[in-house]
């Protein structure tokens, strides 16, 4: 007797419906799983067997063949334990109904308990798009599933509960759907408020522009001047998330297994991978299956690379493509997978090995060669992709101890939010969300320059030896500055400010 039950396999964030068929026939007792299963799925054989026996259900003592179809899709992980168990129980007649409209997800413990699995949210969303309306999932995945409306989801703690539900002995209650509420962790609740940073008006303004338009930003300056402090205050001014954005980010974290108790990501990610992180940790990958890397976990938020020159050059170079495209495609033996990676890059570094080059307070003791070597750790193409490069110098003692109240993050966030609103309206019917994401077409439409502005930009282009990309990025930053100013047109003052963020490195010819 053959019975078919549905499970779900994920490739990146996209899902493939997997039908689990079990054939129980007469013959010497044997038990096989076929259909391109990985090691974890093969091990599922023993888990399912023990779970069925320990749930006081009958395990057939016959020849059993479990087939996972389509065979060309690689099946990974323990997520197929539950559909295999249900298919087996159907095949030997313990359960008799038809479950062709239901998708089963879950790992089984030997004692029959249902354990949580990764990727429930993307699997449910993808299966819903394919017309499935009923799901049975582990209880611990209930939270993330509760944000999906228009489907019937049942969360069970054990195989026994699932069987009792399916046979109608003790039906489960459908998971209650929840309304999405953006995080209450507003600026006021953030651990690092901008008001804690004394002075540094230029750097704070640059941070506001970066967040308002989604631009990459680099802080360069001597040690102990507040670069890390500035970067850590970013979460306090990041814009709130819409439900759609939240779901998109949650999908990635669900696959990576980094979803918290809440089951949904409510605040924009702020990822701070250490400089010893490998390229795989940053970009994603893995030996067998392809996991999302830090850049995908930072999707919709910020990737903060403190002490940029300390990162491996090859890891930094790997960021170049995703910084441009907002998505990363990783190919491994396990298959080719794309993950979204649209993040704001924030980085900090010292200008030279001693850290004081260009400082007004301290003398630099490095040789020109040392400075050149140090700076060469960051490649030109990577620097070219950083729209805002600010030099941060030390603050005076008086400024540090001054009682003047610095502006709170809340105020800065209000201005950045207003600029984001303008951008949302402007790009309402395109896939672009922020000025930083503008393509050639949008730039032609929204970054028109007057004759005077054109002259200013031409001069800067020649004087600073800018690339075509740098020119485009200056225009995008100028667009954000104009938005912060509620100005339809990009004015000369907006353009000057945007150009001023590209002067780091312009003095490189002078170091000799
Ligand atoms: N502008 C500032 N206002 C108030 N405190 C500051 C300021 N700058 C630095 N500090 C103090 O100095 C400490 C060190 O600052 P931070 O770690 O941000 O320096 P940094 O620029 O990142 O240095 P490094 O280059 O060594 O990493 C902070 O924790 C803070 O206490
Ligand atoms: Mg630091």
């Amino acid at each position: 007797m053959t019975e078919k039950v549905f499970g779900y396999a994920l490739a990146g964030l996209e899902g493939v419906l997997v039908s689990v068929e079990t054939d129980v026939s007469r013959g010497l007792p044997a038990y096989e799983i076929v259909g391109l299963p990985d090691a974890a799925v093969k091990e599922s054989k023993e888990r399912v067997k023990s779970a069925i026996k320990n749930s006081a259900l009958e395990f057939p003592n016959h020849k059993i063949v479990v087939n996972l179809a389509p065979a060309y899709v690689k099946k990974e992980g323990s997520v197929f334990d539950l559909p295999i168990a249900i298919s087996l129980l159907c095949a030997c007649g313990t359960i008799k109904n038809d479950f062709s409209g239901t998708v089963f997800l879950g790992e089984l413990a030997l004692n029959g308990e249902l354990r949580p699995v990764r990727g429930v949210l993307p699997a449910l969303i993808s299966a819903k798009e394919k017309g499935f309306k009923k799901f049975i999932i582990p209880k611990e995945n209930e939270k993330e599933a509760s944000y999906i409306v228009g489907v019937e989801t049942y969360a069970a703690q054990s195989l026994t509960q699932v069987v009792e539900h399916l046979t109608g002995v003790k039906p489960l209650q459908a998971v209650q759907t929840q309304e999405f509420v953006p995080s209450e962790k507003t600026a006021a609740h953030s651990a690092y408020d901008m008001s804690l940073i004394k002075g540094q008006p230029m750097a704070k303004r640059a941070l506001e522009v970066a967040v308002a338009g989604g631009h990459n930003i680099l802080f360069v300056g001597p040690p102990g001047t507040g670069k890390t402090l500035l970067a850590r205050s970013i979460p306090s001014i990041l814009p709130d998330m819409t439900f759609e954005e939240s779901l998109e980010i949650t999908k990635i974290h669900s696959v990576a297994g980094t979803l918290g108790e809440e089951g949904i990501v409510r605040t924009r990610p702020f990822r701070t991978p250490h400089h010893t992180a490998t390229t795989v940790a940053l970009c994603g990958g893995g030996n067998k299956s392809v996991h999302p890397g830090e850049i995908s976990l930072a999707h919709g938020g910020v990737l903060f690379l403190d002490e940029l020159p300390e990162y491996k050059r090859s890891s930094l170079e790997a960021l170049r493509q995703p910084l441009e495209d907002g998505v990363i495609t990783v190919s491994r033996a396990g298959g080719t997978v794309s993950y979204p990676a649209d993040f704001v890059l924030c980085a900090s570094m010292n200008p030279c090995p001693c850290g004081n080059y260009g400082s007004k307070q301290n003398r630099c003791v490095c040789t020109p060669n040392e400075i050149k070597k140090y700076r060469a750790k960051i490649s030109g193409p990577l620097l070219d992709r950083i729209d805002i490069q600010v030099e941060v110098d030390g603050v005076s003692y008086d400024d540090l101890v001054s009682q003047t109240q610095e502006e709170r993050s809340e105020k800065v966030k209000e201005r950045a939010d207003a600029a984001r609103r303008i951008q949302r309206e402007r790009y309402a019917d395109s896939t672009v969300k922020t000025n930083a994401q503008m393509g050639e077409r949008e730039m032609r439409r929204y970054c028109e320059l007057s004759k005077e502005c054109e002259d200013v930009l031409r001069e800067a282009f020649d004087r600073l030896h800018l690339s075509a990309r740098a020119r485009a990025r200056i225009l995008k930053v100028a667009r954000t500055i104009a938005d912060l100013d509620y100005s339809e047109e990009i004015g000369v003052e907006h353009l000057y400010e945007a150009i001023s963020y590209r002067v780091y490195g312009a003095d490189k010819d002078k170091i000799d």
Side-chain angles (χ1 to χ4, degrees), residues 224 226-229 304 306-307 348 350:
K227 299 183 296 296
T228 304
L229 206 57
F304 175 40
D306 208 0
E307 316 293 352
S348 87
N350 299 125

Side-chain angles (χ1 to χ4, degrees), residues 351-353 357 364-377 511:
C352 65
Y357 181 79
C364 171
V365 293
C366 305
T367 64
N369 239 352
E370 281 173 336
I371 303 177
K372 272 189 180 165
K373 224 165 113 191
Y374 186 76
R375 292 198 177 188
K377 289 186 183 182
I511 311 169

